[in-house]
Amino acid sequence: NACIPSATYRPAYHYTPEKNWVNDPNGLVYLDGEYHLFYQYNPAGDKWGHMSWGHAVSKNLKTWEELPLAIPETMNADGSTNMVFSGAAVVDSLNTSGFFEKGFTKGMVAIYTSHLNKNGEGMAQSQSLAYSSDKGRTWKFYDKNPVLAIGLKDFRDPNVFMQEGKWKMIVAKPLEFMVQIYESTNLKEWTLLSEFGKMGDVAKIWECPSLFKVPVENSDNSKWVMLISSAAEATEFTGMQYFVGEFDGKSFVPDKQEGVLRLDRGKDFYAAIPFQNLPAKDKNPIIIGWGSNWSYAGDIPSEGRRGMFSMPRKLSLVKENGQFRLVQKPIYSNRIHSKELILKASELTKPKTWEMKNNSYKLGLVIDLGNSNGFAMELLKNEEEKCVLTYNAMTQKLFFDRTKSGKIDFNKNFSSIESMQVVPQNGVLKLDIFVDNSIVEVFANEGKVVLTDLVFPQKNGGKIILSLLKD
Ligand code: FRU
């Protein structure tokens, strides 16, 4: 249809750099009114390679400004390179590292994985430091890198936080489905405290671990949560799991759990880590994930730019059936979206339609299910394309179907239907739907169940059609 312009894949309110490849968020840290998002970035193209840290900042976690490359890949005399893999950034306000001028409280230290790359092959991984005295704009490498090497080829993704005056690092031994926890007083010398792993989902390597405290809703308590990027429901996909438990400063002990706790039920949420050094007003941890899946990340339509980030999400815990579960709330506070609707299924005698000018919108819905069988919602609907969010009230399952969502043939694993259990609360289902050109995030029941999926519609603008399921 000539009247419908072609779509852009670049999201409007999800961050992507102007061009090139991105994967994991790195070094999420707050300092002096700025939230920093560093990330795995290839400065030389739209495929994975030359891994370096890109950089963006935000004052409100909603709009981002891209800054010049922060920490680049470096070349060795023999032609091998040190890629800058994933890691964390902290504010060393007491200058424990000694990297800064006496009394300077705003020094930033990045703790990342040096990945030695020779002729395109990974030779060794170790943990290294870089530091910045100008709020992450320019960086120097520590001249005695690496600070932590244990002779493993796969040993990566350090996440560092301060606990009672000591730095703690959690880092992955991916092929062993293990993490290690270390301690340091100066970020340079690290002592092993404990190991944790070989639990939960071990179908795929463990990467990007993090460990942090999360408040329990409606209480003064908090629990420790460990995020691991591991496998999703099927082993050919990467996804995330988490553990809830206690951390005594040395070891993490998980609560008894039934099955695997999955963070996101879609295919495109990985490598999420929390912000460090959040201001007091942010009482809850905030995470950002990479919106893609290694299964097809390199093949998604590019426009010179590949990969994007999820919206920042605030975390809390709730107890359900004796088990703590993470709740994720989008940074756009719930129920004040550009459209917010309370709908009674019993009054929905014919399909309800919204005309959309483009493919970027936010929609908050409260659906009173009544005696209905559920509903189907076509998002991004134009002649041939649609994504369908279906709720079956009998089985209490929510489905997201992207099999007709536009461009799907770039990889055989992309076309998919996600399904997840969502129990209505007092007969009501709440959905916060964020559609943003090529990324869809759905928060059901105020963040109890979350789904993130990429989609590549070819046309810009169309309809949203909501209809009841027939018998
Ligand atoms: C996770 C990951 C990390 C690694 C980085 C390399 O997506 O594989 O383990 O540090 O990507 O880009």
Side-chain angles (χ1 to χ4, degrees), residues 139-324:
W139 292 82
K140 290 198 178 81
F141 290 103
Y142 177 38
D143 57 9
K144 297 196 181 62
N145 276 338
V147 294
L148 182 60
I150 57 171
L152 277 186
K153 209 173 127 193
D154 286 87
F155 177 49
R156 61 178 176 270
D157 308 338
N159 205 268
V160 173
F161 58 97
M162 170 72 85
Q163 189 197 24
E164 289 166 16
K166 301 242 172 76
W167 299 108
K168 309 280 159 133
M169 177 200 289
I170 176 166
V171 55
K173 295 202 281 182
L175 307 185
E176 296 170 31
F177 320 109
M178 294 288 284
V179 298
Q180 293 188 315
I181 299 174
Y182 288 84
E183 182 177 272
S184 172
T185 53
N186 57 10
L187 295 167
K188 294 170 175 166
E189 286 132 350
W190 293 93
T191 311
L192 181 64
L193 298 176
S194 64
E195 296 200 326
F196 170 83
K198 297 199 166 79
M199 287 187 62
D201 194 331
V202 295
K204 208 146 185 142
I205 57 168
W206 281 23
E207 304 181 306
C208 302
S210 63
L211 180 62
F212 51 94
K213 246 186 182 171
V214 182
V216 178
E217 284 189 14
N218 306 316
S219 94
D220 297 329
N221 298 339
S222 48
K223 300 273 295 176
W224 286 83
V225 168
M226 189 185 288
L227 300 185
I228 305 280
S229 291
S230 48
E233 260 100 328
T235 47
E236 65 265 42
F237 299 104
T238 45
M240 289 188 72
Q241 65 174 326
Y242 65 94
F243 299 94
V244 183
E246 293 303 332
F247 177 63
D248 62 4
K250 283 207 165 92
S251 321
F252 174 77
V253 180
D255 294 353
K256 274 213 183 67
Q257 69 181 50
E258 261 165 56
V260 175
L261 302 179
R262 301 202 186 277
L263 197 57
D264 190 290
R265 314 302 307 212
K267 292 261 160 45
D268 297 300
F269 190 80
Y270 195 67
I273 53 166
F275 274 91
Q276 301 298 331
N277 201 43
L278 282 179
K281 73 172 170 63
D282 292 319
K283 288 189 301 293
N284 293 70
I286 300 173
I287 60 169
I288 296 180
W290 172 45
S292 199
N293 196 306
W294 280 119
S295 178
Y296 45 71
D299 300 329
I300 62 172
S302 122
E303 296 178 337
R305 152 183 5 95
R306 261 206 193 90
M308 60 197 79
F309 298 99
S310 76
M311 289 184 295
R313 300 174 181 179
K314 280 188 202 187
L315 300 185
S316 56
L317 286 166
V318 292
K319 201 169 195 176
E320 253 175 22
N321 307 325
Q323 284 213 352
F324 287 103

Side-chain angles (χ1 to χ4, degrees), residues 91-98 100-101 103-107 162 165 167:
V91 176
D92 187 12
S93 56
L94 300 173
N95 194 17
T96 62
S97 60
F100 308 102
E101 301 266 301
F104 186 63
T105 57
K106 294 175 181 176
M162 170 72 85
W167 299 108

Side-chain angles (χ1 to χ4, degrees), residues 23-24 40 48 51 85-86 156-157 207-208 270-271 294:
N23 56 285
D24 315 359
Q40 288 290 281
W48 189 90
M51 295 325 291
F85 268 23
S86 288
R156 61 178 176 270
D157 308 338
E207 304 181 306
C208 302
Y270 195 67
W294 280 119

